[in-house]
Amino acid sequence: MDQVIFFFFAGLVLLSAASVVLQTRIVYCALSLIVCLGSLAALFLQLQAYFVAAIQVIVYAGAIMVLFLFVILLVDPKTEALQLDKGRAATWIAIPVVALTTASLLFAVRDFQVRSAARGIVPVSIMGEAGHTENLAVDLFTDYVLPFELTSILILVAVVGAVVLAKRRS
Amino acid sequence: MNLPLSHYLVLSVLLFGIGLLGVLLRRNVIVVFMCIEIMLNAANLAFISFSHYLEKIDGQIFVFFIMTVAAAEAAVGLAIIVTLFRVRATLNVDQADLMKW
Protein backbone atom coordinates (compact mmCIF):
# COMPACT_ATOMS: atom_id res chain seq x y z
CA MET A 1 0.00 0.00 0.00
CA ASP A 2 2.88 2.34 0.78
CA GLN A 3 4.33 1.57 -2.62
CA VAL A 4 1.06 2.35 -4.40
CA ILE A 5 0.75 5.72 -2.69
CA PHE A 6 4.38 6.56 -3.30
CA PHE A 7 4.37 5.70 -6.99
CA PHE A 8 1.06 7.43 -7.61
CA PHE A 9 2.16 10.72 -6.06
CA ALA A 10 5.70 10.43 -7.42
CA GLY A 11 4.28 10.03 -10.93
CA LEU A 12 2.00 13.02 -10.35
CA VAL A 13 4.94 15.13 -9.13
CA LEU A 14 7.09 14.30 -12.15
CA LEU A 15 4.25 14.75 -14.63
CA SER A 16 3.23 18.12 -13.25
CA ALA A 17 6.87 19.30 -13.10
CA ALA A 18 7.30 18.29 -16.74
CA SER A 19 4.09 20.15 -17.48
CA VAL A 20 5.50 23.31 -15.88
CA VAL A 21 8.53 23.10 -18.17
CA LEU A 22 6.62 22.23 -21.33
CA GLN A 23 3.39 24.25 -21.24
CA THR A 24 2.86 27.14 -23.57
CA ARG A 25 0.65 29.42 -21.51
CA ILE A 26 1.99 30.82 -18.25
CA VAL A 27 -1.24 30.25 -16.31
CA TYR A 28 -1.14 26.53 -17.12
CA CYS A 29 2.45 26.44 -15.86
CA ALA A 30 1.34 28.03 -12.59
CA LEU A 31 -1.55 25.58 -12.19
CA SER A 32 0.76 22.63 -12.92
CA LEU A 33 3.12 23.90 -10.27
CA ILE A 34 0.26 23.99 -7.76
CA VAL A 35 -0.48 20.32 -8.56
CA CYS A 36 3.22 19.54 -8.11
CA LEU A 37 3.33 21.25 -4.71
CA GLY A 38 0.16 19.47 -3.56
CA SER A 39 1.55 16.06 -4.55
CA LEU A 40 4.76 16.85 -2.72
CA ALA A 41 2.69 17.67 0.36
CA ALA A 42 1.10 14.20 0.05
CA LEU A 43 4.58 12.65 -0.04
CA PHE A 44 5.53 14.67 3.04
CA LEU A 45 2.47 13.21 4.79
CA GLN A 46 3.62 9.73 3.87
CA LEU A 47 7.00 10.56 5.44
CA GLN A 48 5.15 11.58 8.62
CA ALA A 49 6.11 15.26 8.32
CA TYR A 50 2.64 16.51 9.15
CA PHE A 51 3.46 20.09 10.08
CA VAL A 52 5.67 20.61 7.04
CA ALA A 53 2.99 19.18 4.75
CA ALA A 54 0.44 21.60 6.20
CA ILE A 55 2.67 24.63 5.75
CA GLN A 56 3.61 23.45 2.27
CA VAL A 57 -0.04 23.64 1.30
CA ILE A 58 -0.75 26.87 3.17
CA VAL A 59 2.44 28.83 2.42
CA TYR A 60 3.85 27.41 -0.82
CA ALA A 61 0.72 26.42 -2.73
CA GLY A 62 -1.50 28.91 -0.96
CA ALA A 63 0.53 32.11 -0.72
CA ILE A 64 3.54 31.95 -3.03
CA MET A 65 1.60 30.55 -5.98
CA VAL A 66 -1.16 33.12 -5.45
CA LEU A 67 1.56 35.77 -5.60
CA PHE A 68 2.74 34.26 -8.88
CA LEU A 69 -0.80 34.36 -10.25
CA PHE A 70 -1.22 37.99 -9.23
CA VAL A 71 1.98 38.90 -11.05
CA ILE A 72 0.83 36.95 -14.12
CA LEU A 73 -2.37 39.00 -13.90
CA LEU A 74 -0.40 42.27 -13.78
CA VAL A 75 1.98 41.59 -16.64
CA ASP A 76 0.82 40.77 -20.10
CA PRO A 77 1.46 37.07 -20.85
CA LYS A 78 1.97 36.62 -24.52
CA THR A 79 1.83 33.02 -25.52
CA GLU A 80 5.38 31.78 -25.77
CA ALA A 81 6.07 28.34 -27.14
CA LEU A 82 8.96 26.26 -25.96
CA GLN A 83 11.02 26.71 -29.07
CA LEU A 84 14.39 25.09 -29.12
CA ASP A 85 16.25 27.98 -30.67
CA LYS A 86 19.34 26.52 -32.30
CA GLY A 87 21.15 29.83 -32.29
CA ARG A 88 20.97 30.16 -28.54
CA ALA A 89 23.94 28.75 -26.67
CA ALA A 90 21.86 27.64 -23.70
CA THR A 91 19.97 25.13 -25.85
CA TRP A 92 23.11 23.24 -26.75
CA ILE A 93 24.54 23.38 -23.26
CA ALA A 94 21.30 22.64 -21.39
CA ILE A 95 20.46 19.06 -22.26
CA PRO A 96 23.95 17.53 -21.91
CA VAL A 97 24.62 19.42 -18.66
CA VAL A 98 21.29 18.44 -17.13
CA ALA A 99 21.70 14.83 -18.26
CA LEU A 100 25.21 14.67 -16.81
CA THR A 101 24.18 16.28 -13.50
CA THR A 102 21.12 14.09 -13.08
CA ALA A 103 22.97 10.92 -14.02
CA SER A 104 25.81 11.58 -11.59
CA LEU A 105 23.40 12.40 -8.75
CA LEU A 106 21.33 9.29 -9.50
CA PHE A 107 24.49 7.22 -9.44
CA ALA A 108 25.27 8.64 -6.01
CA VAL A 109 21.86 8.02 -4.42
CA ARG A 110 20.72 4.82 -6.03
CA ASP A 111 21.38 2.51 -3.12
CA PHE A 112 21.50 4.92 -0.26
CA GLN A 113 21.25 3.21 3.10
CA VAL A 114 21.11 4.68 6.55
CA ARG A 115 23.58 3.25 9.04
CA SER A 116 21.98 2.56 12.38
CA ALA A 117 24.62 4.56 14.25
CA ALA A 118 23.51 7.70 12.47
CA ARG A 119 19.99 7.55 13.81
CA GLY A 120 18.82 10.26 16.14
CA ILE A 121 16.87 9.98 19.34
CA VAL A 122 13.43 10.96 18.11
CA PRO A 123 11.93 7.62 17.09
CA VAL A 124 9.54 7.65 14.19
CA SER A 125 6.75 6.23 16.35
CA ILE A 126 6.84 9.24 18.66
CA MET A 127 7.07 11.62 15.75
CA GLY A 128 3.93 10.09 14.33
CA GLU A 129 1.77 10.67 17.38
CA ALA A 130 0.22 13.86 18.58
CA GLY A 131 2.96 16.21 19.69
CA HIS A 132 4.83 16.10 16.44
CA THR A 133 4.61 19.85 16.08
CA GLU A 134 5.82 20.09 19.65
CA ASN A 135 8.96 18.15 18.74
CA LEU A 136 9.64 20.56 15.91
CA ALA A 137 8.94 23.59 18.07
CA VAL A 138 11.25 22.44 20.87
CA ASP A 139 14.20 22.27 18.51
CA LEU A 140 13.20 25.37 16.59
CA PHE A 141 13.04 27.62 19.64
CA THR A 142 16.06 26.24 21.49
CA ASP A 143 18.77 25.04 19.13
CA TYR A 144 17.71 27.03 16.09
CA VAL A 145 16.43 30.25 17.62
CA LEU A 146 19.13 32.36 15.97
CA PRO A 147 18.22 31.36 12.40
CA PHE A 148 14.58 31.81 13.35
CA GLU A 149 15.16 35.42 14.38
CA LEU A 150 17.31 36.04 11.33
CA THR A 151 14.56 34.80 9.04
CA SER A 152 12.13 37.21 10.64
CA ILE A 153 14.53 40.05 9.77
CA LEU A 154 14.85 38.57 6.27
CA ILE A 155 11.08 38.62 5.80
CA LEU A 156 10.92 42.23 6.98
CA VAL A 157 13.64 43.22 4.50
CA ALA A 158 11.87 41.32 1.73
CA VAL A 159 8.53 43.03 2.42
CA VAL A 160 10.09 46.50 2.42
CA GLY A 161 12.08 45.68 -0.71
CA ALA A 162 9.09 44.31 -2.59
CA VAL A 163 6.99 47.37 -1.79
CA VAL A 164 9.75 49.77 -2.80
CA LEU A 165 10.47 47.89 -6.05
CA ALA A 166 6.87 47.56 -7.12
CA LYS A 167 5.73 51.09 -6.37
CA ARG A 168 4.98 53.28 -9.32
CA ARG A 169 7.25 56.27 -9.60
CA SER A 170 4.74 59.10 -9.29
CA MET B 1 8.00 2.09 6.24
CA ASN B 2 9.09 -0.56 3.83
CA LEU B 3 10.11 1.86 1.09
CA PRO B 4 13.85 2.32 0.83
CA LEU B 5 15.27 5.80 1.22
CA SER B 6 16.73 5.69 -2.27
CA HIS B 7 13.26 5.85 -3.83
CA TYR B 8 12.66 9.29 -2.36
CA LEU B 9 16.17 10.47 -3.21
CA VAL B 10 15.85 9.33 -6.83
CA LEU B 11 12.55 11.23 -7.08
CA SER B 12 14.24 14.30 -5.60
CA VAL B 13 17.10 14.10 -8.12
CA LEU B 14 14.72 13.68 -11.07
CA LEU B 15 12.61 16.62 -9.91
CA PHE B 16 15.77 18.71 -9.58
CA GLY B 17 16.81 17.74 -13.12
CA ILE B 18 13.43 18.74 -14.53
CA GLY B 19 13.62 22.10 -12.78
CA LEU B 20 17.18 22.64 -14.03
CA LEU B 21 16.10 21.85 -17.59
CA GLY B 22 13.30 24.39 -17.29
CA VAL B 23 15.60 27.12 -16.00
CA LEU B 24 18.01 26.62 -18.90
CA LEU B 25 15.53 26.14 -21.72
CA ARG B 26 12.61 28.49 -21.08
CA ARG B 27 12.77 32.12 -22.10
CA ASN B 28 9.87 33.56 -20.12
CA VAL B 29 11.23 34.92 -16.88
CA ILE B 30 8.19 33.95 -14.78
CA VAL B 31 8.45 30.31 -15.92
CA VAL B 32 12.19 30.34 -15.11
CA PHE B 33 11.23 31.48 -11.64
CA MET B 34 8.71 28.66 -11.29
CA CYS B 35 11.38 26.13 -12.27
CA ILE B 36 13.64 27.53 -9.56
CA GLU B 37 10.80 26.82 -7.11
CA ILE B 38 10.69 23.24 -8.42
CA MET B 39 14.40 22.85 -7.64
CA LEU B 40 13.86 24.20 -4.12
CA ASN B 41 11.05 21.70 -3.58
CA ALA B 42 13.28 18.86 -4.76
CA ALA B 43 15.75 19.82 -2.03
CA ASN B 44 12.88 19.99 0.47
CA LEU B 45 11.86 16.45 -0.42
CA ALA B 46 15.41 15.21 0.12
CA PHE B 47 15.56 16.92 3.51
CA ILE B 48 12.23 15.49 4.67
CA SER B 49 13.11 11.96 3.56
CA PHE B 50 16.44 12.12 5.38
CA SER B 51 14.67 13.48 8.46
CA HIS B 52 12.33 10.49 8.38
CA TYR B 53 14.94 7.83 7.81
CA LEU B 54 17.49 9.22 10.25
CA GLU B 55 14.73 9.81 12.82
CA LYS B 56 15.87 13.34 13.57
CA ILE B 57 13.65 16.41 13.41
CA ASP B 58 16.39 18.71 12.10
CA GLY B 59 15.61 18.07 8.45
CA GLN B 60 12.11 19.41 8.92
CA ILE B 61 13.40 22.52 10.65
CA PHE B 62 15.67 23.16 7.71
CA VAL B 63 12.71 22.75 5.33
CA PHE B 64 10.87 25.35 7.41
CA PHE B 65 13.72 27.79 6.81
CA ILE B 66 13.97 26.94 3.11
CA MET B 67 10.27 27.68 2.70
CA THR B 68 10.63 31.01 4.48
CA VAL B 69 13.58 32.02 2.33
CA ALA B 70 11.73 30.88 -0.81
CA ALA B 71 8.75 33.05 0.13
CA ALA B 72 10.96 36.11 0.68
CA GLU B 73 12.81 35.42 -2.57
CA ALA B 74 9.56 35.01 -4.49
CA ALA B 75 8.24 38.32 -3.20
CA VAL B 76 11.35 40.30 -4.11
CA GLY B 77 11.93 38.45 -7.39
CA LEU B 78 8.38 38.99 -8.59
CA ALA B 79 8.60 42.68 -7.67
CA ILE B 80 11.74 42.88 -9.82
CA ILE B 81 9.91 41.12 -12.66
CA VAL B 82 7.03 43.60 -12.45
CA THR B 83 9.46 46.52 -12.58
CA LEU B 84 11.35 44.91 -15.48
CA PHE B 85 8.12 44.50 -17.38
CA ARG B 86 7.14 48.11 -16.78
CA VAL B 87 10.46 49.36 -18.12
CA ARG B 88 11.14 46.94 -20.98
CA ALA B 89 7.60 45.73 -21.83
CA THR B 90 8.89 42.21 -22.36
CA LEU B 91 9.25 39.05 -20.28
CA ASN B 92 11.88 37.48 -22.49
CA VAL B 93 15.12 36.77 -20.64
CA ASP B 94 17.14 37.15 -23.81
CA GLN B 95 16.07 40.76 -24.11
CA ALA B 96 17.23 41.75 -20.61
CA ASP B 97 20.76 42.13 -21.87
CA LEU B 98 21.84 45.67 -21.00
CA MET B 99 24.67 44.36 -18.83
CA LYS B 100 26.09 41.91 -21.35
CA TRP B 101 29.44 42.78 -22.80
Side-chain angles (χ1 to χ4, degrees):
Chain A
M1 192 58 199
D2 279 339
Q3 304 237 345
V4 170
I5 294 177
F6 172 75
F7 282 113
F8 174 70
F9 282 111
L12 201 54
V13 164
L14 290 176
L15 272 177
S16 48
S19 168
V20 172
V21 172
L22 296 173
Q23 286 278 1
T24 321
R25 295 180 179 273
I26 311 182
V27 177
Y28 293 165
C29 292
L31 296 177
S32 308
L33 187 55
I34 293 177
V35 170
C36 183
L37 296 173
S39 317
L40 275 174
L43 285 175
F44 291 169
L45 283 175
Q46 195 188 21
L47 286 167
Q48 294 183 313
Y50 305 121
F51 180 70
V52 175
I55 61 172
Q56 166 96 345
V57 172
I58 295 174
V59 169
Y60 236 120
I64 296 180
M65 289 317 300
V66 170
L67 188 60
F68 266 100
L69 285 168
F70 267 112
V71 170
I72 292 173
L73 174 76
L74 285 176
V75 301
D76 172 40
K78 293 185 182 48
T79 313
E80 170 251 336
L82 176 66
Q83 297 154 347
L84 290 179
D85 186 7
K86 301 287 194 299
R88 197 168 167 248
T91 312
W92 291 107
I93 299 175
I95 295 179
V97 162
V98 172
L100 189 64
T101 312
T102 313
S104 53
L105 283 172
L106 280 174
F107 180 75
V109 304
R110 69 192 188 296
D111 340 276
F112 220 89
Q113 283 155 16
V114 168
R115 294 195 203 94
S116 52
R119 287 179 186 272
I121 55 168
V122 183
V124 171
S125 56
I126 290 187
M127 282 212 310
E129 290 167 4
H132 166 79
T133 307
E134 185 183 332
N135 282 327
L136 192 109
V138 162
D139 253 358
L140 184 63
F141 293 119
T142 52
D143 286 336
Y144 295 98
V145 69
L146 180 63
F148 179 74
E149 301 295 340
L150 287 176
T151 46
S152 61
I153 297 178
L154 174 75
I155 294 175
L156 177 67
V157 167
V159 164
V160 170
V163 168
V164 164
L165 279 169
K167 249 177 57 150
R168 282 190 190 276
R169 310 279 180 263
S170 56
Chain B
M1 177 69 61
N2 52 358
L3 273 173
L5 171 62
S6 52
H7 283 196
Y8 289 98
L9 293 182
V10 164
L11 174 63
S12 169
V13 167
L14 287 175
L15 194 59
F16 188 84
I18 292 175
L20 187 59
L21 200 64
V23 167
L24 291 174
L25 282 182
R26 293 296 298 245
R27 281 182 295 175
N28 190 318
V29 65
I30 297 183
V31 179
V32 167
F33 216 67
M34 284 191 228
C35 297
I36 294 177
E37 299 292 333
I38 293 179
M39 292 200 282
L40 282 171
N41 274 286
N44 280 356
L45 180 65
F47 270 111
I48 298 281
S49 50
F50 271 116
S51 161
H52 181 263
Y53 282 91
L54 286 174
E55 291 171 4
K56 284 170 166 286
I57 202 81
D58 302 59
Q60 299 183 22
I61 292 180
F62 213 86
V63 168
F64 182 84
F65 288 128
I66 291 177
M67 270 186 211
T68 314
V69 169
E73 167 216 356
V76 174
L78 288 169
I80 291 177
I81 288 173
V82 165
T83 313
L84 187 72
F85 182 74
R86 277 199 203 127
V87 169
R88 302 281 277 173
T90 179
L91 286 176
N92 196 337
V93 288
D94 289 333
Q95 296 185 4
D97 58 356
L98 277 177
M99 291 202 283
K100 274 179 82 164
W101 63 83

